[in-house]
């Protein structure tokens, strides 16, 4: 069945767009559901935090546009617990996020071995293995990936997967060169702040 996607925090300006990228009239607010197949966008100075029912938190930083491409999740019984209190995701899920441009901070629960979670950009795909990271993509400038927990595999179009582990990052120019590096300390600090902020929000 289709999983649920809900807005848990925002800072204007933010908006939803339909599958043809036309802005929706309904005002985005905390508790709004993001329809699968639609776009979420944070403008200059804006921010949007989205919770998926598998426990994943996505933070769209300012000037970011992304689409929930696919979100399928097996039914589960929460047994009175909040998804945010669980260490791992509550059931098997398949997620595909399309990042048009901007910066996305991602914190997932530990994923089931049968689950898949991918973030697709114009210059490659990041496959998540239960982790915490930031991905930035600008079609003209390529992509930056910073991982502060676990491992993410980055695969350029037609290329082989490059694992990026905790404390590491990479830059991909879009011209084919993958440049490994240490995690950006500014990004790592921002991710840590994001984690603390979202824990407070979800209690």
């Amino acid at each position: 069945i289709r999983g649920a996607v809900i807005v848990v925090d925002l800072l204007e300006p933010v908006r939803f767009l339909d599958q043809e990228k036309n802005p929706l009239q309904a005002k985005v607010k905390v508790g709004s559901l993001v329809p699968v197949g639609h776009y979420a966008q944070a403008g200059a100075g804006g921010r949007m935090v989205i919770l998926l029912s598998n426990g994943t938190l996505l933070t769209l930083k300012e000037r970011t546009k992304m689409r929930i491409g696919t979100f399928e999740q097996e039914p589960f019984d929460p047994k009175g617990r909040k998804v945010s209190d669980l260490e791992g995701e509550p059931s098997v899920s398949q997620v595909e996020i399309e990042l048009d441009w901007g910066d996305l901070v991602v914190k997932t629960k530990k994923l089931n071995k049968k689950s898949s979670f991918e973030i697709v950009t114009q210059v490659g795909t990041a496959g998540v293995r239960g982790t915490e990271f930031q991905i930035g993509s600008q079609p003209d400038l390529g992509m930056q990936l910073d991982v502060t927990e676990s491992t993410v595999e980055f695969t350029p179009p037609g290329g082989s997967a490059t694992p990026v582990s905790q404390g590491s990052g990479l830059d991909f120019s879009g011209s084919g060169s993958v440049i490994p590096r240490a995690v950006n300390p500014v990004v790592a600090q921002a991710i840590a702040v994001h984690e603390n902020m979202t824990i407070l929000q979800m209690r």
Side-chain angles (χ1 to χ4, degrees):
I1 63 171
R2 189 167 282 181
V5 185
I6 188 169
V7 176
V8 295
D9 188 43
L10 60 84
L11 182 66
E12 297 279 4
V14 295
R15 64 179 183 172
F16 293 154
L17 301 94
D18 65 19
Q19 294 174 334
E20 283 72 46
K21 300 187 180 181
N22 298 310
L24 300 183
Q25 296 301 314
K27 181 177 172 61
V28 179
K29 55 183 184 291
V30 171
S32 293
L33 291 174
V34 187
V36 171
H38 284 46
Y39 293 83
Q41 183 176 348
R47 184 187 72 238
M48 193 187 312
V49 183
I50 297 172
L51 173 68
L52 277 61
S53 53
N54 70 349
T56 299
L57 275 167
L58 305 173
T59 299
L60 287 74
K61 301 178 84 170
E62 67 168 340
R63 297 185 175 92
T64 297
K65 182 172 148 202
M66 56 145 269
R67 176 177 179 262
I68 308 290
T70 303
F71 182 24
E72 301 291 335
Q73 183 179 12
E74 291 184 2
F76 66 94
D77 179 3
K79 298 183 174 66
R81 296 172 298 173
K82 296 179 183 176
V83 172
S84 55
D85 294 334
L86 304 176
E87 283 191 21
E89 66 171 347
S91 63
V92 174
S93 64
Q94 277 75 45
V95 180
E96 184 180 282
I97 305 294
E98 298 170 12
L99 179 60
D100 271 22
W101 34 260
D103 296 303
L104 195 60
V105 179
V106 182
K107 180 168 177 59
T108 69
K109 298 291 183 180
K110 186 175 182 180
L111 295 177
N112 188 292
K113 288 180 181 177
K114 296 179 181 177
S115 294
S116 65
F117 192 112
E118 293 187 333
I119 296 180
V120 179
T121 75
Q122 294 183 31
V123 296
T125 300
V128 184
R129 300 291 172 263
T131 189
E132 191 172 286
F133 64 97
Q134 175 170 312
I135 183 168
S137 179
Q138 302 293 344
D140 299 336
L141 303 174
M143 191 201 75
Q144 301 79 45
L145 180 64
D146 289 276
V147 179
T148 59
E149 192 178 293
S150 197
T151 301
V152 174
E153 287 186 347
F154 173 70
T155 308
S160 56
T162 299
V164 184
S165 58
Q166 182 171 327
S168 302
L170 65 76
D171 296 320
F172 181 71
S173 65
S175 62
S177 58
V178 176
I179 304 168
R181 56 170 170 75
V183 69
N184 182 328
V186 176
V187 171
Q189 179 62 30
I191 294 173
V193 169
H194 157 85
E195 180 182 14
N196 293 336
M197 177 188 70
T198 48
I199 287 172
L200 288 172
Q201 286 166 355
M202 299 313 301
R203 282 180 181 161

